[in-house]
């Protein structure tokens, strides 16, 4: 079978359920419910720190997660700090999350703020636990002085008394930096918005309690949207995810059956 | 994401150019690939300048007068000395500081999370229901889970234990069980990798059919 036919089947398996949704159920997993419950249980005015540590390539998986958690936090009247160890994540947040806040009647600098990007990984994070203002150069993503924002007056450093929860939306290794340099030393609870590829690697840390919750890729976003009662892009993509997985499972079974019936030939696949 | 119509068209054409690789390697794919790499690099440079260098000079140096910070800044600049004939050795100075500081930093902060992981492998085999109507009664599922977990961890370690030759039933069977555990873990990792790639493809198709063509509600 030529690879191109597989691509055609795959695209059809995605387009058809997008055009005509099947309405397959999305049942939230414990890893997602844990994050929802944590955000839901925080008292109004608590500060939630959302780390936008993903790049443009991870937008389909991670951005719906960030949008759902950000919306939930603002609906609960929590204060949100956006920051990124990725240069693209904070810009994506500015384009996607800021409009959500404005649509909910929230004010920049009072209800949420975007601190922008700082290169340096774990060293930057350690700096933020000692003196956040100094580490950020005293300015937000647009170069405005932090002293001008009411929200920043109560947030001089990252510690347990100022930040109630950190959620690291990441497509790389930043979770380890937040775990080792912020969460463990300060005791701030840490949750992850993880792309599916990294999910398995992160699970042992969830089991041990080092991560309080994990969202698993697009599915995690859909589960969170369901818990929030606001279905979005992730929810509408779940049917396509199921049909495409079913197709791949079918092709794997078919390939193995053909392999067993046809003998162990080692022909190179035709393109 | 909020995008103007022109931005949507540029993104759609770029997406189709990248997808054209499925057909074969072609100039449209290469152009889109080079443009993406160039844009990502340029974005990184501008963001580092805006987020790091600008506040460093305008706030730390000019406004707060912390002139001592210029010393590590100058030491950092020595990394470029490798391009100067006869002075290349100077670039080793910031590099050695960097490596030494980095190694010490990691060693100082990494043990605690690792020990928590180690502690988590010490599990009770006998499990009871933590809550619900059967709270306190024997929990077969939890018990089997913990036994499998213990067996998986120990036999995987045995698989990578090369000091003793794999002779005798204990070493051979435990290493074989460990290999199966590793294969199951790799299978799960492959499954989530497929899940992730499908999510990215779905996201792009949603963009093309919905945001660009307006065919999806």
């Amino acid at each position: 079978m030529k690879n191109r036919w597989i691509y055609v089947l795959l695209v059809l398996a995605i387009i058809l359920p997008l055009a005509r949704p099947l309405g397959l159920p999305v049942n939230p997993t414990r890893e997602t419910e844990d994050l929802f419950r944590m955000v839901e249980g925080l008292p109004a005015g608590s500060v939630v720190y959302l780390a936008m540590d993903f790049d443009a390539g991870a937008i389909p998986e991670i951005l719906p997660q960030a949008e759902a958690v950000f919306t939930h936090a603002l609906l609960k009247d929590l204060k949100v700090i956006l920051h990124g160890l990725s240069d693209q994540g904070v810009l994506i947040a500015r384009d996607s999350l800021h409009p959500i806040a404005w649509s909910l009647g929230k004010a920049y600098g009072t209800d949420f703020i975007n601190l922008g990007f700082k290169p340096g990984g774990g060293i930057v994070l350690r700096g933020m636990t000692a003196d956040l203002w100094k580490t950020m150069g005293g300015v937000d993503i647009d170069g405005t002085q932090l002293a001008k924002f009411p929200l920043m007056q109560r947030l001089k450093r990252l510690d347990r008394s100022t930040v109630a929860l950190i959620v690291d939306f990441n497509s790389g290794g930043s979770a380890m930096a937040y775990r080792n340099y912020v969460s463990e030393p300060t005791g701030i609870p840490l949750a992850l918005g993880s792309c599916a590829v990294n999910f398995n690697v992160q699970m042992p840390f969830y089991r041990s309690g080092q991560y309080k919750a994990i969202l698993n890729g697009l599915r995690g976003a859909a589960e969170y949207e369901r818990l929030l009662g606001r279905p979005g892009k992730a929810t509408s993509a779940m049917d396509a995810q199921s049909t495409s997985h079913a197709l791949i499972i079918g092709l794997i079974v078919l390939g193995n059956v053909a392999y067993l019936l046809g003998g162990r030939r080692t022909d190179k696949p035709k393109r | 994401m909020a995008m103007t119509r022109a931005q949507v068209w540029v993104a759609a054409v770029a997406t189709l150019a990248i997808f054209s690789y499925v057909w074969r390697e072609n100039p449209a794919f290469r152009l889109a690939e080079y443009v993406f790499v160039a844009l990502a690099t340029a974005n990184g440079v501008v963001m580092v300048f805006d987020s790091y260098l600008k506040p460093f000079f305008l706030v730390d140096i000019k406004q707060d007068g912390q002139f001592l910070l210029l010393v590590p800044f100058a030491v950092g600049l020595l990394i470029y000395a490798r391009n100067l004939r006869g002075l290349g050795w100077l670039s080793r100075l910031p590099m050695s500081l960097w490596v030494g500081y980095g190694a010490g930093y990691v060693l100082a902060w990494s043990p605690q999370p690792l020990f928590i992981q180690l502690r988590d492998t010490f599990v009770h085999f006998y499990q009871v229901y933590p809550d619900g109507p059967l709270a306190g009664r024997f929990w077969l599922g939890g018990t089997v889970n913990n036994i499998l977990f213990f067996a998986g961890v120990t036999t995987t370690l045995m698989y990578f234990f090369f000091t003793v030759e794999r002779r005798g039933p204990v070493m051979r069977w435990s290493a074989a069980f460990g290999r199966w555990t590793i294969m199951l873990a790799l299978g799960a990792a492959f499954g989530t990798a497929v899940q992730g790639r499908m999510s990215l493809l779905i996201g792009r198709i949603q963009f093309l059919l919905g945001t660009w063509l307006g065919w999806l509600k």
Side-chain angles (χ1 to χ4, degrees):
Chain A
M1 191 179 193
K2 286 189 175 179
N3 286 358
R4 280 176 211 161
W5 287 110
I6 295 176
Y7 297 144
V8 170
L9 286 175
L10 193 57
V11 169
L12 284 176
I14 290 172
I15 288 178
L16 292 177
L18 283 177
R20 286 187 177 265
L22 306 170
L24 297 174
V26 177
N27 297 316
T29 52
R30 199 181 72 184
E31 298 86 46
T32 305
E33 283 178 340
D34 284 348
L35 179 56
F36 185 84
R37 272 199 295 266
M38 285 183 81
V39 175
E40 191 71 13
L42 291 174
S46 303
V47 174
V48 176
Y49 179 103
L50 304 185
M52 309 299 287
D53 297 332
F54 60 96
D55 54 23
I59 283 177
E61 273 196 290
I62 309 282
L63 185 59
Q65 297 177 356
E67 287 177 341
V69 176
F70 183 69
T71 304
H72 189 197
L74 292 182
L75 287 172
K76 290 288 299 175
D77 284 330
L78 306 177
K79 308 297 180 186
V80 180
I81 308 290
L82 301 167
H83 172 250
L85 296 175
S86 147
D87 58 320
Q88 297 175 27
V90 288
L91 294 176
I92 295 165
R94 185 164 63 180
D95 283 351
S96 305
L97 302 189
H98 291 201
I100 292 175
W102 293 321
S103 72
L104 295 171
K106 302 295 179 180
Y108 186 82
T110 306
D111 300 304
F112 75 103
I113 192 167
N114 190 335
L115 295 179
F117 155 73
K118 273 283 180 226
I123 291 170
V124 167
L125 296 181
R126 281 306 299 162
M128 290 170 86
T129 62
D131 189 338
L132 192 149
W133 284 44
K134 195 174 174 183
T135 308
M136 298 312 299
V139 292
D140 75 344
I141 189 172
D142 295 318
T144 311
Q145 296 282 321
L146 294 180
K148 292 181 180 173
F149 300 117
L151 175 55
M152 293 308 294
Q153 304 311 315
R154 49 188 280 210
L155 198 78
K156 302 292 184 187
R157 69 184 68 85
L158 289 186
D159 64 29
R160 190 72 182 88
S161 64
T162 53
V163 176
L165 172 67
I166 295 174
V167 187
D168 181 26
F169 297 100
N170 75 90
S171 56
S174 61
M176 188 199 73
Y178 276 96
R179 186 183 68 227
N180 289 7
Y181 304 130
V182 182
S183 178
E184 298 288 351
T186 64
I188 302 173
L190 173 64
L192 294 192
S194 171
C195 52
V197 174
N198 290 338
F199 182 69
N200 288 319
V201 181
Q202 311 291 8
M203 274 306 279
F205 298 98
Y206 170 71
R207 186 192 144 91
S208 63
Q210 287 163 287
Y211 300 146
K212 304 302 178 194
I214 308 182
L215 300 182
N216 175 13
L218 192 63
R219 178 175 174 82
E223 291 170 0
Y224 206 96
E225 285 175 357
R226 160 124 195 254
L227 290 167
L228 191 58
R230 288 179 167 231
K233 263 190 174 177
T235 304
S236 63
M238 273 303 97
D239 284 345
Q241 183 110 50
S242 300
T243 51
S244 60
H245 284 188
L247 174 70
I248 287 171
I249 291 168
L251 287 172
I252 289 173
V253 171
L254 194 66
N256 278 281
V257 169
Y259 175 75
L260 290 172
L261 292 179
R264 302 187 173 197
R265 289 169 55 188
T266 54
D267 291 353
K268 286 182 180 175
K270 292 173 183 172
R271 292 190 63 82
Chain B
M1 291 176 74
M3 297 168 86
T4 64
R5 202 62 204 154
Q7 287 171 324
V8 168
W9 268 88
V10 171
V13 170
T15 302
L16 292 175
I18 291 291
F19 278 176
S20 69
Y21 184 78
V22 170
W23 173 55
R24 68 163 63 151
E25 168 92 26
N26 64 80
F29 167 77
R30 277 201 296 276
L31 178 67
E33 191 183 29
Y34 294 154
V35 167
F36 174 74
V37 172
L39 278 176
T41 308
N43 184 64
V45 170
V46 170
M47 287 295 282
V48 168
F49 179 80
D50 260 12
S51 314
Y52 194 77
L53 290 175
K54 220 162 120 181
F56 176 76
F57 284 111
L58 291 181
V59 179
D60 292 340
I61 305 298
K62 190 179 171 191
Q63 182 185 302
D64 297 344
Q66 299 181 66
F67 296 106
L68 268 180
L69 289 177
L70 289 171
V71 176
F73 180 78
V75 174
L77 282 179
L78 289 177
I79 201 87
Y80 295 106
R82 65 171 59 185
N83 300 319
L84 304 173
R85 191 174 293 172
L87 294 174
W89 60 273
L90 283 171
S91 68
R92 292 184 201 139
L93 185 63
M95 189 61 82
S96 58
L97 283 170
W98 192 0
V99 171
Y101 181 79
Y105 201 80
V106 169
L107 283 173
W109 291 102
S110 295
Q112 188 187 358
L114 179 67
F115 284 131
I116 293 173
Q117 281 292 294
L118 283 175
R119 187 189 63 196
D120 194 52
T121 59
F122 303 152
V123 290
H124 288 289
F125 289 159
Y126 184 83
Q127 288 288 302
V128 294
Y129 284 97
D131 47 32
L134 296 173
R137 304 273 297 270
F138 174 66
W139 180 23
L140 180 65
T143 303
V144 171
N145 266 349
N146 280 2
I147 291 171
L148 279 176
F149 179 75
F150 173 77
V153 170
T154 49
T155 57
T156 301
L157 289 172
M158 291 287 267
Y159 180 78
F160 291 106
F161 191 65
F162 302 120
T163 312
V164 179
E165 209 171 339
R166 282 182 197 154
R167 284 183 183 169
V170 175
M171 285 304 292
R172 275 196 293 120
W173 282 98
S174 57
F177 191 89
R179 191 158 63 96
W180 275 97
T181 308
I182 294 167
M183 286 164 70
L184 284 170
L186 291 176
F190 178 69
T192 50
V194 170
Q195 178 194 340
R197 300 309 172 218
M198 284 304 112
S199 302
L200 300 184
L201 179 60
I202 292 167
R204 280 293 83 189
I205 290 178
Q206 275 183 322
F207 169 77
L208 289 175
L209 298 186
T211 312
W212 184 42
L213 297 175
W215 290 352
L216 300 178
K217 288 178 184 174

